[in-house]
């Protein structure tokens, strides 16, 4: 007769199933962010969603996706943003429920749960199961995600992460092929169309390949060649989206300063940005003073190098 399994061995066996871990992580993500369902609309939700008549009709929705992200009845704000994936997602939700905020927040919570589960699946291919499980749990409950999940227009962050992580997962799960390359490129385009920060996806693919295969710098060229379908198709897709941005916005990005920070148009902005980087690193490990406000009164403008700016720059380069 076999001896009864020890609790530790049962837990180790449970950890060997990434699907189970991902399900628990997703459930925890929903549980923690469930209070967001009581939220209404706030801040950017008004201009981006409620005040944009083109999102209220199936006929005008495609046209809205081909216009700058910040446009509505008050005109267009010159912020250099074009997010067709996010615009279409908001328009589809408006077609279903109109101005009832509950569905929008439910979609955000569900998207955060899906992203948290994808973190587990992705890390499962790179690190030990226990580390992947712990990282997924931390990601699911980390308070730094509050703005992205609890604010309606935060769907841009969630969709960018969702499609980018899916692209990474598809890239890792099998041999390179034209079909896989097209799928990675499609997911990458959807991520970039959700928010501009997804433009880092090619670098994430390369870093993930380097981590999994323990590549040396001299071996990176060979890695690119072995995955040429994924990298090539993604480069074509992102290049096409950059060209479309030029048609919609007239430029790839705007040089205008942030709202309320006009002084930054006259001084080097890298030092203010570097101070923000330092705070971002701190918030990942010590999210004590989260704030919905990040105007110049909250994030001080730096007219030149400061100790905090040097710290942020060093952390980012590191």
């Amino acid at each position: 007769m076999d001896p009864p399994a020890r609790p530790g061995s049962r837990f180790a066996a449970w950890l060997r199933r990434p699907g189970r871990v991902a399900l628990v992580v997703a459930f925890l993500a929903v549980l923690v962010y469930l209070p967001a369902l009581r939220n209404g609309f706030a801040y950017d939700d008004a201009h981006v969603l409620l005040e944009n008549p083109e999102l209220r009709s199936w006929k005008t929705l495609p046209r809205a996706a081909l216009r700058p992200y910040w446009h509505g009845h008050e005109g267009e704000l010159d912020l250099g943003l074009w997010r067709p994936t996010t615009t279409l997602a908001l328009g589809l939700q408006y077609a279903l429920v109109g101005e009832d905020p509950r569905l929008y927040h439910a979609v955000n919570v569900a998207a955060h749960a899906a992203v948290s589960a994808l973190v587990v699946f992705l890390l499962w291919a790179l690190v030990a199961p226990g580390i992947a499980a712990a990282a997924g749990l931390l990601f699911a409950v980390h308070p730094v995600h509050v703005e992205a999940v609890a604010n309606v227009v935060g769907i841009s962050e969630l969709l960018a992460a969702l499609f980018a992580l899916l692209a990474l997962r598809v890239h890792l799960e099998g041999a390179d092929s034209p079909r896989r390359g097209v799928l990675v490129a499609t997911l990458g385009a959807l991520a970039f169309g959700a928010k501009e920060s997804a433009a880092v996806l090619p670098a994430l693919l390369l870093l993930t390949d380097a981590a999994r295969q323990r590549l040396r710098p001299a071996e990176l060229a060979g890695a690119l060649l072995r995955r040429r379908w994924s990298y090539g198709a993604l480069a074509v897709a992102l290049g096409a989206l950059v060209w479309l941005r030029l048609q919609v916005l007239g430029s790839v990005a705007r040089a205008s300063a942030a709202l309320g920070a006009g002084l930054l148009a006259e001084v080097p902005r890298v030092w203010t940005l570097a101070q923000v980087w330092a705070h971002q690193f701190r918030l990942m490990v010590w999210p004590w003073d989260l704030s919905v406000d990040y105007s110049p009164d909250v994030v001080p403008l730096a007219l030149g190098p400061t100790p905090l700016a040097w710290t942020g720059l060093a952390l980012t380069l590191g």
Side-chain angles (χ1 to χ4, degrees):
M1 183 175 179
D2 295 331
R6 293 176 299 174
S9 62
R10 288 198 298 267
F11 181 69
W14 182 83
L15 268 181
R16 284 196 290 269
R17 300 289 185 91
R20 293 178 181 177
V21 177
L23 189 61
V24 170
V25 166
F27 175 77
L28 187 61
V30 171
L31 189 65
V32 168
Y33 282 94
L34 206 57
L37 298 182
R38 299 196 301 263
N39 292 351
F41 297 107
Y43 290 101
D44 298 352
D45 299 343
H47 187 90
V48 173
L49 175 63
L50 302 181
E51 298 174 2
N52 189 347
E54 291 185 344
L55 295 185
R56 302 174 188 174
S57 168
W58 291 106
K59 294 181 180 179
T60 56
L61 183 56
R63 186 172 65 211
L66 295 175
R67 295 189 61 187
Y69 181 63
W70 275 79
H71 73 276
H73 80 276
E74 294 179 351
E76 218 168 86
L77 289 178
D78 189 22
L79 299 181
L81 301 177
W82 178 55
R83 300 173 181 172
T85 305
T86 301
T87 298
L88 290 173
L90 291 173
L92 290 173
Q93 291 178 79
Y94 193 96
L96 292 174
V97 297
E99 297 183 6
D100 184 345
R102 288 174 295 182
L103 175 67
Y104 299 93
H105 289 296
V107 169
N108 281 22
V109 172
H112 174 58
V115 170
S116 300
L118 280 170
V119 169
V120 173
F121 282 120
L122 178 63
L123 290 178
W124 210 270
L126 301 172
V127 297
I131 298 175
L137 289 169
L138 178 62
F139 186 92
V141 303
H142 202 300
V144 81
H145 300 311
V146 167
E147 183 181 6
V149 182
N151 204 29
V152 168
V153 294
I155 191 67
S156 62
E157 305 266 6
L158 296 162
L159 290 177
L162 180 68
F163 289 123
L165 289 176
L166 279 172
L168 277 166
R169 182 62 185 163
V170 170
H171 177 77
L172 289 175
E173 69 182 6
D176 192 43
S177 67
R179 181 178 179 181
R180 191 176 303 279
V182 169
L183 184 53
V184 168
T186 301
L187 293 168
L190 289 170
F192 186 55
K195 190 165 185 178
E196 293 78 5
S197 52
V200 301
L201 178 59
L204 293 179
L205 291 180
L206 185 59
L207 289 171
T208 305
D209 279 338
R212 186 176 60 160
Q213 301 172 33
R214 301 182 183 276
L215 297 175
R216 298 175 180 177
E219 299 170 327
L220 292 179
L224 286 171
L225 187 61
R226 288 192 296 273
R227 290 280 185 174
R228 57 187 176 276
W229 287 109
S230 288
Y231 288 112
L234 184 59
V236 170
L238 295 185
L241 281 176
V242 168
W243 181 84
L244 284 172
R245 284 179 67 85
L246 287 169
Q247 309 311 306
V248 174
L249 301 175
S251 63
V252 175
R254 289 284 189 267
S256 57
L259 295 176
L263 178 63
L264 288 178
E266 304 173 10
V267 299
R269 280 175 267 182
V270 65
W271 301 116
T272 299
L273 183 59
Q275 291 190 148
V276 173
W277 289 339
H279 284 300
Q280 287 177 333
F281 276 96
R282 177 182 60 80
L283 290 172
M284 283 192 282
V285 297
W286 187 248
W288 180 255
D289 56 343
L290 294 174
S291 172
V292 296
D293 186 8
Y294 37 85
S295 64
D297 286 337
V298 176
V299 180
L301 304 183
L303 305 183
T306 65
L308 185 61
W310 281 118
T311 301
L313 191 62
L315 286 169
T316 301
L317 292 176

